[in-house]
Amino acid sequence: MSFKLEKVDQNTNARAGVLETGHGLVQTPIFMPVGTVGSVKAVDFTFLKEDIKAKIILGNTYHLYLRPGIDIIEKAGGLHKFNTWDGPILTDSGGYQVFSLSANRKLSEEGAMFKSHIDGSKHLFTPENVVEIQRSIGSDIMMALDECTPYPCEYDYAKKSMEMTHRWLDRGFTHYKNTQPKYGFNQHYFPIVQGSVFENLRKESAKVISSYDAAGYAIGGLSVGEPHHMMYDMIDVVNDILPKEKPRYLMGVGTPENIIEGIARGVDMFDCVMPTRNGRNGMLFTSEGIINIKNKKWEDDFSPIDPNGTSYVDYKYSKAYLRHLIHSNEYLGPQIASIHNLAFYLELVRQARQKIIDGDFNQWKNAILPKLKQRL
RNA sequence: GGGGAGAUACCAAAGUGGCCAACUGGGGCAGACUGUAACUCUGCUGUCUUAUGACUUCGGAGGUUCGAAUCCUCCUCUCCCCA
């Protein structure tokens, strides 16, 4: 995979680049919709591609391994064939499930032993077999197995955890080098920086991770409940060390504001469930501000969902109608909300990229930020 | 015409002498959600701007009792069965 930096902003660390994958080019900065079980919840792939203009999406190793199972995905010829998404796919390793399903797993040096949330069966995820599984899924970008630590986190625990994540990385990377893609296109392997909210740990982790000749590098363990300023500080610390010529991926982030702040700090790739999950729950990110569409005040507001929106749904449907759908628990409601939010996120990063190239990113950022945060 | 059952908050529905301003659903109103166990979860939902506080409530009117949504009398209404 090659990554070409096209422009670096003069006032911030924002970058515009192009990522080349076995499934096409991705202009960065980019937001990647999350498709955990091989589907971006409530959004048809045709819409995802043509209306939302998503370029790369996520899948999840843990979830896809449990269901439908790796044998099925292999029989299908990989996840791209299975779900019809022909753009790049990045798969998370299950490291986030180490955090989110912490009650169902035990960690050891060997790996993470999970008790399936579906049927209670036990499954060991190791740095090595997680590479194998992602080979079988056929993701364009495979993530290293890591431990995403919670917040707050004791320093001693964060340090030990980070060190184990580093050892896991070494095993995983070796295994990655010793195995081949299964479907005729290159697969890449991203290491992940950990270290919780401790500057010295983050620095150490960034250095260790940078010593691996990877196609890109990820920042994990953030947006797990820490204050925003801490997250931003950690991004600064880490990006100061990570190789400039490689893409940086900030895992699981975030709100539109978080993403703009991340871009300003030199992050190239983002993913988050927020546009889809919060959308399903009635939260809309719009050019005018944040809307809780369930609120009574939208009951008779027949204006478009977003008058400046780029999606078909933005001018097709009114706020009042969407509110009615969500209130009535109609399937169409979460669909429209998810499509709108994703389109908004993708348009946001497209604009950011254009502003970086035009050289007025910082101005634009300062102008747009208050609106992104504003609650309507 | 005869026999039976019942009326509780926006709706449904518990409660049958004090622990009842009243269980639980639904609805309504608000909040949360960041590498997705999530179309999920949390709070509030008689009135009083706040309450470990006050006041008014369980079809209506009387009554019994220290005390009634709960017991008694009458009234009004609803539903079911038989003619």
Side-chain angles (χ1 to χ4, degrees):
Chain A
M1 177 161 66
S2 73
F3 179 65
K4 209 164 58 192
L5 261 188
E6 291 188 344
K7 178 119 183 208
V8 179
D9 185 53
Q10 298 202 325
N11 303 305
T12 68
N13 290 316
R15 302 129 56 92
V18 182
L19 191 64
E20 189 190 335
T21 76
H23 287 89
L25 301 177
V26 178
Q27 298 190 312
T28 63
I30 189 68
F31 177 80
M32 308 180 282
V34 177
T36 305
V37 300
S39 147
V40 175
K41 291 188 195 297
V43 180
D44 178 89
F45 281 109
T46 303
F47 239 95
L48 191 61
K49 186 165 195 173
E50 293 173 9
D51 183 83
I52 295 165
K53 299 184 176 67
K55 300 298 179 190
I56 169 172
I57 65 170
L58 259 69
N60 183 277
T61 302
Y62 168 86
H63 287 279
L64 290 167
Y65 162 89
L66 287 181
R67 198 164 54 189
I70 295 312
D71 53 334
I72 298 297
I73 292 180
E74 282 187 340
K75 269 191 200 171
L79 184 57
H80 290 89
K81 291 267 167 54
F82 189 45
N83 74 6
T84 79
W85 174 258
D86 60 5
I89 295 175
L90 179 152
T91 42
D92 182 37
S93 60
Y96 187 72
Q97 280 62 44
V98 170
F99 161 77
S100 66
L101 299 177
S102 61
N104 297 357
R105 55 73 175 164
K106 277 210 167 80
L107 293 183
S108 67
E109 187 62 32
E110 193 181 7
M113 177 68 86
F114 279 96
K115 238 180 103 172
S116 162
H117 67 280
I118 299 166
D119 64 6
S121 55
K122 286 187 174 176
H123 306 270
L124 180 66
F125 286 74
T126 68
E128 293 85 2
N129 74 14
V130 154
V131 169
E132 299 282 352
I133 295 168
Q134 293 178 98
R135 289 278 191 209
S136 295
I137 290 170
S139 47
D140 298 87
I141 299 173
M142 313 190 289
M143 298 306 299
L145 184 65
D146 67 333
E147 180 187 3
C148 175
T149 49
Y151 179 85
C153 182
E154 295 287 332
Y155 178 84
D156 288 350
Y157 186 87
K159 183 169 161 57
K160 278 185 182 154
S161 166
M162 177 197 77
E163 288 165 353
M164 187 170 73
T165 289
H166 292 167
R167 291 192 295 277
W168 283 3
L169 168 62
D170 195 66
R171 285 164 53 188
F173 198 81
T174 301
H175 200 72
Y176 165 67
K177 287 293 183 189
N178 291 336
T179 52
Q180 294 298 316
K182 295 187 174 175
Y183 306 111
F185 56 87
N186 276 334
Q187 295 179 276
H188 303 280
Y189 185 80
F190 279 24
I192 304 170
V193 176
Q194 286 294 338
S196 188
V197 294
F198 305 105
E199 189 172 329
N200 66 323
L201 295 184
R202 285 282 171 184
K203 280 182 177 167
E204 183 187 340
S205 189
K207 281 176 196 158
V208 168
I209 265 135
S210 301
S211 72
Y212 290 83
D213 183 25
Y217 301 87
I219 306 168
L222 292 176
S223 63
V224 289
E226 76 285 0
H228 283 174
H229 70 89
M230 286 189 183
M231 170 166 79
Y232 298 150
D233 286 350
M234 292 304 114
I235 298 169
D236 279 331
V237 164
V238 165
N239 277 350
D240 206 38
I241 295 169
L242 293 178
K244 299 277 179 272
E245 70 283 3
K246 297 284 179 66
R248 292 106 169 235
Y249 162 33
L250 179 57
M251 306 183 78
V253 174
T255 62
E257 178 193 3
N258 293 159
I259 288 172
I260 296 302
E261 293 290 358
I263 290 173
R265 288 167 171 76
V267 175
D268 307 295
M269 302 160 71
F270 301 85
D271 80 284
C272 192
V273 303
M274 195 169 278
T276 44
R277 181 194 284 166
N278 290 32
R280 291 196 302 281
N281 294 329
M283 186 175 186
L284 303 179
F285 300 95
T286 78
S287 62
E288 297 171 310
I290 297 170
I291 289 177
N292 182 347
I293 199 66
K294 288 193 281 197
N295 287 174
K296 192 171 184 62
K297 61 176 140 185
W298 308 113
E299 187 174 42
D300 60 352
D301 186 328
F302 302 104
S303 67
I305 292 171
D306 188 341
N308 307 307
T310 57
S311 170
Y312 173 74
V313 302
D314 287 323
Y315 51 89
K316 170 92 174 166
Y317 301 107
S318 68
K319 295 182 179 81
Y321 182 59
L322 180 54
R323 177 181 193 272
H324 161 67
L325 291 176
I326 299 260
H327 266 260
S328 307
N329 215 241
E330 281 291 317
Y331 290 117
L332 186 57
Q335 286 176 20
I336 292 172
S338 298
I339 290 168
H340 160 77
N341 277 347
L342 285 176
F344 180 78
Y345 268 59
L346 267 296
E347 171 63 13
L348 187 69
V349 294
R350 275 196 302 273
Q351 277 189 29
R353 185 174 200 279
Q354 191 57 52
K355 297 298 175 183
I356 294 166
I357 288 170
D358 294 345
D360 43 19
F361 172 79
N362 203 31
Q363 269 183 306
W364 172 79
K365 170 182 180 265
N366 292 333
I368 200 171
L369 230 36
K371 277 207 166 179
L372 293 179
K373 291 192 269 191
Q374 187 178 358
R375 304 238 168 196
L376 299 179

